[in-house]
């Protein structure tokens, strides 16, 4: 890495990184839990789980939205020396750092079915839906402004893309990186990620 260079990860990718790892294990835990009578009974457990699913989705979707919006408004153009981290790398780093927490969350969701069948699993799935919704919201901002939001990787490592250590976002053009607005995988992404950060109107060049 050259002098003064630093890595950037897509904000939307960081946000949606946990979603898939909460959604499918959550549904699996809910399915397992539905087979257990539990203390409350299946009907009451599923009703509680549905309420938790909706509540978790809304809470996660709305959490810190003001902070995200403020950081987006104050974002500045990325410098020439930044390194754009590929989407797959961001996802892999998050998975490695949280794999044991994910396992514990899954086991806790399954165990909670002894009290309220399927409730814990539906709670996990609802959180995943909220994360996808927030990534979609960020993607709408990126499309409206024809720019992509990035965050320094070391700042987002602990508190996420809107944590206390995040001092600001960087902007690149829509051609940068290997993910679409909102952080979804781009079908026509080049291997290794895009190396140019310029927008259609001619933004800054981002070197590797």
């Amino acid at each position: 890495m050259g002098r003064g260079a630093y890595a950037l990860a897509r904000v939307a990718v960081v946000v949606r990184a946990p979603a898939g790892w909460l959604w499918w294990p959550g549904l699996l835990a809910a399915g397992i839990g539905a087979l257990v009578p539990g203390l409350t009974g299946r009907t009451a457990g599923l009703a509680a789980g549905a309420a938790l699913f909706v509540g978790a989705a809304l809470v996660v979707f709305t959490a810190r939205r003001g902070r995200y919006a403020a950081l987006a408004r104050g974002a500045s153009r990325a410098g020439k020396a930044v390194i754009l981290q590929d989407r797959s790398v961001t996802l892999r780093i998050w998975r490695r750092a949280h794999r044991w927490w994910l396992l514990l969350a899954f086991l806790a969701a399954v165990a909670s079915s002894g009290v309220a069948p399927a409730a814990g699993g539906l709670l996990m799935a609802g959180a995943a839906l909220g994360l996808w919704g927030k990534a979609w919201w960020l993607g709408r901002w990126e499309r409206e402004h024809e720019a992509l939001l990035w965050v320094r990787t070391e700042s987002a490592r602990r508190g996420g893309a809107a944590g206390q250590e995040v001092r600001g976002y960087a902007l690149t053009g829509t051609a940068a990186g290997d993910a679409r607005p909102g952080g979804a995988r781009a079908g026509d992404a080049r291997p290794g990620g895009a190396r140019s950060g310029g927008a259609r109107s001619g933004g800054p060049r981002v070197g590797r």
Side-chain angles (χ1 to χ4, degrees):
M1 186 179 297
R3 183 179 179 182
Y6 54 91
L8 294 174
R10 278 287 300 284
V11 173
V13 173
V14 174
V15 168
R16 67 184 290 147
W21 296 95
L22 291 172
W23 178 259
W24 296 113
L27 292 183
L28 178 59
I32 295 172
L35 302 176
V36 179
L39 295 178
T40 63
R42 291 189 182 91
T43 302
L46 288 171
L52 289 172
F53 178 87
V54 174
L58 290 175
V59 169
V60 172
F61 176 68
T62 57
R64 291 184 172 180
R65 278 185 53 172
R67 169 102 169 125
Y68 281 99
L71 289 168
R73 286 194 300 269
S76 58
R77 283 286 174 178
K80 294 182 178 180
V82 301
I83 298 171
L84 302 183
Q85 184 169 277
D86 290 346
R87 180 181 184 275
S88 60
V89 175
T90 302
L91 296 177
R92 184 166 63 248
I93 291 173
W94 188 93
R95 184 175 66 248
R96 287 178 178 175
H98 297 86
R99 60 185 181 274
W100 295 115
W101 290 107
L102 291 169
L103 178 59
L104 288 174
F106 173 75
L107 294 176
V110 173
S112 69
S113 294
V115 178
L122 290 174
L123 175 65
M124 290 178 63
L129 185 63
L131 290 170
W132 275 320
K134 184 174 290 182
W136 171 85
W137 172 70
L138 288 166
R140 187 176 66 175
W141 187 98
E142 291 177 326
R143 284 187 291 270
E144 289 177 353
H145 294 80
E146 295 188 338
L148 303 180
L149 293 169
W150 300 78
V151 62
R152 293 183 67 145
T153 54
E154 67 272 18
S155 299
R157 190 167 296 139
R158 290 187 177 181
Q164 293 182 352
E165 296 184 10
V166 177
R167 296 292 179 262
Y169 290 160
L171 289 173
T172 67
T174 55
D178 61 348
R180 297 195 302 267
R185 182 172 57 241
D188 57 351
R190 292 174 294 179
R195 296 175 181 244
S196 173
R200 285 188 288 251
S201 59
R205 181 182 179 184
V206 181
R208 280 254 174 174

